[in-house]
Amino acid sequence: MNNKIKFSCPCHFGLESVLKFEIIKIGGEDIRVSDGKITFTGDENMIARANLCLSTAERVLIELGEFRAVTFEELFQGVKALELERFIGKDDAFPVKGYSLNSALHSVPDCQSIIKKATVERLKSVYGISWFDETGAAVQIKFSILKDIVNVYLDTSGIGLHKRGYRRNSNAAPIKETLAAGIVDLARVRPDSVVCDPFCGSGTLLIEAALKALKIAPGINRRFAAEKWSSLNENIWREERTRAIDLVDRSAKFEGIGSDIDDSAVALTLDNAHKAGIKKRMKITQADVAQFCPPESSIVICNPPYGERLLELREAEDIYRKMGKVFGKGGSAQSYIISPHEQFESFFGKNAKKRRKLYNGMIKCQLYMYF
């Protein structure tokens, strides 16, 4: 049996190159990049390592197979041919969910029941039993059917990887942790960086910058679905957690400087930083952006407010003008600003050196890079 496991990690559109670099760093092989997704191979330990260490992946899926199907019979036989028993034990639960787009097999409930039936038939022949109680750990089967091409996965993460465990509370418009981590990577945050965010909100950008600088694995404080799987050696989780802890660099000189006009945002950032274990690295104050003065050689990373209604839009544009006046005061400060506003640069008063298209949820944004 080939011991190599094929993995698939979805990510935010625009962060593929960042995630690819992360996968190379943890030892992933045979890496393939496509829009919003990276596939690679690794051993059993990689299941734990990828979940613990990847900061820009949305989840870690095991890719069981890919085949074409335009009839239910083709779908049934395609799934039945997969090596499902490698990860699904005879007592495990195996719920099925997925989606279908632009395909002959467009009824998702029908596809779900065919995939379930095929899985049962495969496991019956392997385990020699006719009934599955499914009382054990849940091994979630996921499928996608796109233009008649079926992909079948097992979800090893459970709750999405953006849930690090430090942000149980957030303010009205939080940036997703995985997107924040990607922006931090694009800003090239180092162990000795000083990172500033004058719109700190719930602290996500500053916390992700601190985790990156101190080499703290983003998943170190949470659990994953595959930890309960009977098919996996439980030692892999212990080994990989120990490895992740050993990589932490407490000697890093990193400092996070944050402010927000809202005092509840200041309290929230400090609370989340405490949960993430990096509160000592943070200086957070209540202040208007007009008072902001970034220290020499610092990196400014922020997600300024934007308005969806006209009045809010005007207010946001006023904030961009203020930002243009105070950013760069600290001499060689670099700025990385994410905004969905098409005319951000004209209000800010400077054209970005580089721009990158990113999606914050469903909102199309640009990352404006000044350096």
Side-chain angles (χ1 to χ4, degrees):
M1 185 174 82
N2 177 11
N3 283 325
K4 279 277 172 79
I5 298 168
K6 187 176 182 186
F7 295 95
S8 177
C9 289
C11 67
H12 281 268
F13 286 103
L15 293 184
E16 294 88 352
S17 62
V18 177
L19 178 55
K20 180 188 175 183
F21 183 67
E22 283 198 279
I23 291 167
I24 291 168
K25 248 179 17 189
I26 64 167
E29 296 170 344
D30 314 313
I31 299 169
R32 294 227 168 109
V33 181
S34 50
D35 283 348
K37 179 178 89 168
I38 297 200
T39 60
F40 62 101
T41 62
D43 60 7
E44 205 174 72
N45 273 57
M46 186 58 76
I47 297 172
R49 188 178 300 173
N51 274 297
L52 287 162
C53 300
L54 295 178
S55 66
T56 56
E58 292 303 310
R59 50 185 65 247
V60 178
L61 305 171
I62 291 170
E63 190 171 312
L64 290 179
E66 179 178 289
F67 55 89
R68 189 170 184 275
V70 293
T71 66
F72 287 133
E73 181 58 24
E74 286 173 339
L75 180 63
F76 180 87
Q77 295 301 340
V79 173
K80 196 177 166 211
L82 301 175
E83 205 183 5
L84 295 149
E85 67 279 359
R86 184 172 176 189
F87 299 103
I88 304 174
K90 66 178 195 301
D91 299 318
D92 294 338
F94 43 97
V96 178
K97 68 178 178 189
Y99 65 89
S100 173
L101 290 171
N102 308 331
S103 299
L105 300 174
H106 53 82
S107 163
V108 172
D110 286 343
C111 293
Q112 270 174 305
S113 72
I114 296 291
I115 290 169
K116 183 78 175 184
K117 207 163 153 187
T119 304
V120 168
E121 287 307 312
R122 169 84 190 199
L123 298 179
K124 264 160 83 167
S125 66
V126 172
Y127 295 124
I129 54 176
S130 60
W131 179 258
F132 294 89
D133 284 324
E134 299 194 47
T135 52
V139 182
Q140 177 72 60
I141 298 172
K142 290 195 161 205
F143 68 90
S144 69
I145 309 176
L146 184 59
K147 295 180 180 165
D148 301 324
I149 300 299
V150 182
N151 284 88
V152 182
Y153 306 100
L154 299 178
D155 181 5
T156 71
S157 302
I159 296 165
L161 292 184
H162 68 282
K163 300 271 193 185
R164 320 284 207 217
Y166 66 73
R167 199 175 81 178
R168 291 187 197 101
N169 310 309
S170 62
N171 56 349
I175 190 166
K176 213 168 167 189
E177 294 87 334
T178 40
L179 178 58
I183 294 169
V184 164
D185 257 351
L186 292 167
R188 303 224 161 108
V189 169
R190 301 279 182 258
D192 60 351
S193 295
V194 176
V195 174
C196 306
D197 182 357
F199 306 98
C200 63
S202 49
T204 310
L205 283 160
L206 288 174
I207 293 168
E208 291 298 324
L211 296 180
K212 190 75 66 176
L214 275 67
K215 298 186 170 68
I216 297 171
I220 202 97
N221 289 323
R222 57 156 286 182
R223 297 282 162 187
F224 306 94
E227 287 188 66
K228 296 189 174 126
W229 292 5
S230 59
S231 59
L232 295 181
N233 184 337
E234 60 190 39
N235 289 337
I236 69 167
W237 298 95
R238 201 175 308 119
E239 283 167 22
E240 292 301 329
R241 276 204 164 83
T242 302
R243 176 187 173 276
I245 289 162
D246 289 345
L247 287 172
V248 174
D249 178 13
R250 290 283 170 194
S251 69
K253 303 274 193 287
F254 174 86
E255 197 183 324
I257 299 172
S259 55
D260 202 290
I261 197 164
D262 180 359
D263 56 355
S264 64
V266 172
L268 192 54
T269 294
L270 288 169
D271 186 44
N272 290 339
H274 173 69
K275 287 192 189 105
I278 44 86
K279 189 179 173 185
K280 285 184 179 148
R281 304 292 180 139
M282 301 291 174
K283 288 181 183 157
I284 313 294
T285 52
Q286 184 188 2
D288 186 279
V289 69
Q291 299 159 282
F292 178 62
C293 183
E296 183 76 42
S297 304
S298 60
I299 304 172
V300 179
I301 308 177
C302 64
N303 174 29
Y306 55 87
E308 287 177 33
R309 291 187 289 276
L310 197 60
L311 182 67
E312 291 170 353
L313 194 62
R314 294 275 152 76
E315 286 169 3
E317 287 161 359
D318 282 343
I319 289 168
Y320 303 156
R321 286 190 193 96
K322 282 186 197 173
M323 286 165 65
K325 290 189 182 115
V326 296
F327 281 32
K329 264 189 189 169
S332 56
Q334 309 168 47
S335 303
Y336 296 80
I337 305 156
I338 185 169
S339 174
H341 199 304
E342 298 283 336
Q343 277 86 48
F344 172 82
E345 288 159 306
S346 64
F347 291 102
F348 188 69
K350 291 184 201 74
N351 284 339
K353 280 269 166 67
K354 276 171 87 175
R355 291 161 63 155
R356 182 180 285 230
K357 188 160 77 175
L358 295 172
Y359 281 85
N360 187 3
M362 300 308 287
I363 303 164
K364 190 174 104 182
C365 296
Q366 294 280 351
L367 181 64
Y368 296 95
M369 308 184 216
Y370 296 87
F371 39 81

